[in-house]
């Protein structure tokens, strides 16, 4: 829902001459974070049968995607919080 609302707000404010580039940068970073969260959920370790080494590799990828997505979302938030003054 946040992505839908974000796109809606971005489209409505596209003609605002005082908008600047920060909302666009914020939107792109948040879309990247959203995609990362979806990918993180898609590769979540579960009850997979098979090789334990591939399972541990999957856990590392899952963790890296999760931390990257969290970092993108935090950076996007801070850009708007600090840069919009």
């Amino acid at each position: 829902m946040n992505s839908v609302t974000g796109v809606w707000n971005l489209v409505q404010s596209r003609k605002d001459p005082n908008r600047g580039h920060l909302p666009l940068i914020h939107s792109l970073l948040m879309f990247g974070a959203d995609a990362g969260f979806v990918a993180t959920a898609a590769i979540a370790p579960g009850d997979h049968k098979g090789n334990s080494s591939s399972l541990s590799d999957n856990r590392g990828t899952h963790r890296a995607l999760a931390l990257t997505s969290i970092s993108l979302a935090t950076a996007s938030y801070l850009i708007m919080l600090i840069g919009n003054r």
Side-chain angles (χ1 to χ4, degrees):
M1 288 311 285
N2 284 335
S3 295
V4 172
T5 305
V7 169
W8 191 348
N9 288 336
L10 189 64
V11 168
Q12 285 184 341
S13 69
R14 72 180 183 268
K15 295 185 183 194
D16 183 5
N18 299 322
R19 181 180 74 164
H21 295 306
L22 288 181
L24 182 60
I25 293 168
H26 168 74
S27 297
L28 293 174
L29 286 173
M30 288 305 287
F31 290 138
D34 288 345
F37 286 130
V38 169
T40 300
I43 67 161
D47 291 335
H48 299 293
K49 302 217 189 293
N51 190 345
S52 63
S53 67
S54 66
L55 183 59
S56 65
D57 291 344
N58 196 24
R59 286 182 182 154
T61 304
H62 174 79
R63 181 179 172 90
L65 272 173
L67 292 175
T68 301
S69 300
I70 291 168
S71 299
L72 279 175
T74 302
S76 177
Y77 169 73
L78 290 174
I79 284 172
M80 289 304 289
L81 182 70
I82 296 168
N84 227 7
R85 294 183 184 233

